[in-house]
Amino acid sequence: MATIPGSKASVSPEEIERRTVLRRPLRARGIKRVEVLLDATEHLLAYTRNEDISLATIAEEAGVPLPSVYHFFPNRNAVLVALAGRYHRDLAKLSSQPLDPEPADWQELIRIRQRNGARYLNRHPAALRLFMGAGVSVEVRHLDLRGNAALAERRAEDMRQRFECGSLQNLEHWLAISIGIMDGIWAISYAEHGSITDAYVVESSRAAIAYLRCFLPEQLSRTKLTSKKIIK
C-alpha cells in the first residue's frame, strides 16, 4: 500500500519505473524506440485481450525486432509500468494547465480538474483498462497510487496559487484521499459502462468536495496574483 504524501517511506512513480524498466534510454534514437514500443502497447491494450499481449506481439505491433524490446524491457509487465508512468506524466501536466476563465471557488476548481482528467482517460481507453481493469499488476497499482499522491501535491500547489491556503497544513493529504474517492467512483463507472460517464464525474466531484468540506472552509480568499488576473 502506498504511503501518504510526504512520508519518508514513500516511493515516487519515477523510482518505481526505474526499478522495473531494464534500461532507460539516454540517446534520442533509444528514447524514440521506447515511445514507439509504448504506442504499440497502448494500441494492443485498447483492442486486444490481456492474455494475448506479450513482448512478441508488442514487437510485431511496433514493427521492431523482439531483441530490441528485450533491450529495454525484461518482461511485459515492465512495459505496462512504463506506459502507466507516461499516462501519469500526462495527467500531471494536464493538472497544471492554465484555466480561462478562472474558477469561481475551490469547489469549481475541483470540478474542472476532475472533468479534464476524465476526458483524458476516456480518450485513452488503454489507460482506463490499465488502471481500472481486472488483472492489474502490483507494480502498476503501486505506481498508480504513488502517481495519485504526486498528483495531490500538484493539486495542492494549483489551489495555493489561486486561494489563500496558509492554514491548511494537511492539504496534500486531504487532496490525496479525495483523489482516491474519485478513483473509486470512476472504477464503478468503468465497470458498468467501459468509460467514465459525465454522470459519474458529477458524482465523483460531489463526493470529493463533500469530503474536503470536512477540512476546508466553504470560502477561501483569493491570492493577490489571481485577483489581478480576474480584474484584467
Side-chain angles (χ1 to χ4, degrees):
M1 179 178 294
T3 53
I4 64 173
S7 170
K8 293 181 180 179
S10 63
V11 179
S12 69
E14 293 78 12
E15 177 62 16
I16 295 172
E17 279 191 78
R18 189 191 68 79
R19 294 177 182 179
T20 307
V21 176
L22 183 63
R23 182 178 287 107
R24 185 174 297 278
L26 299 176
R27 296 182 179 180
R29 182 179 179 182
I31 293 172
K32 183 177 180 180
R33 175 61 57 87
V34 167
E35 290 302 311
V36 168
L37 293 173
L38 295 183
D39 288 342
T41 305
E42 178 176 38
H43 184 268
L44 288 170
L45 195 61
Y47 302 107
T48 306
R49 292 188 309 172
N50 187 57
E51 58 268 26
D52 292 337
I53 300 175
S54 64
L55 289 184
T57 57
I58 292 171
E60 182 179 3
E61 179 70 23
V64 302
L66 182 57
S68 183
V69 184
Y70 278 112
H71 181 73
F72 298 107
F73 302 106
N75 50 54
R76 187 192 74 154
N77 189 58
V79 190
L80 297 181
V81 169
L83 182 60
R86 186 167 77 172
Y87 287 138
H88 267 286
R89 287 189 289 275
D90 286 349
L91 288 168
K93 292 177 184 177
L94 184 64
S95 186
S96 301
Q97 285 185 347
L99 299 176
D100 187 17
E102 279 289 323
D105 47 37
W106 67 263
Q107 295 91 334
E108 184 61 21
L109 178 61
I110 296 295
R111 295 186 189 99
I112 292 171
R113 293 306 191 192
Q114 286 207 14
R115 283 199 300 268
N116 291 344
R119 287 169 184 163
Y120 173 87
L121 291 174
N122 284 330
R123 288 196 300 268
H124 296 81
L128 284 171
R129 185 175 175 188
L130 190 61
F131 295 134
M132 301 182 186
V136 177
S137 73
V138 172
E139 292 84 0
V140 170
R141 183 57 180 159
H142 194 187
L143 185 144
D144 189 27
L145 289 170
R146 291 309 312 155
N148 284 349
L151 180 59
E153 293 175 0
R154 286 181 174 267
R155 291 277 177 87
E157 181 61 25
D158 188 31
M159 190 173 289
R160 290 190 176 106
Q161 288 177 355
R162 292 175 166 82
F163 305 102
E164 297 292 346
C165 302
S167 62
L168 305 175
Q169 298 301 317
N170 293 320
L171 184 58
E172 286 86 353
H173 177 60
W174 299 329
L175 286 169
I177 293 177
S178 76
I179 291 171
I181 293 170
M182 173 197 73
D183 265 359
I185 294 173
W186 286 6
I188 296 172
S189 181
Y190 179 73
E192 293 183 351
H193 306 285
S195 65
I196 305 169
T197 67
D198 291 343
Y200 273 100
V201 173
V202 171
E203 291 300 318
S204 67
S205 296
R206 181 181 291 128
I209 291 170
Y211 168 76
L212 291 171
R213 277 182 171 138
C214 296
F215 310 99
L216 275 62
E218 192 65 21
Q219 296 294 328
L220 286 173
S221 300
R222 289 191 174 277
T223 61
K224 293 181 180 179
L225 180 61
T226 307
S227 297
K228 290 179 180 179
K229 288 181 180 179
I230 294 174
I231 292 173
K232 290 180 180 180

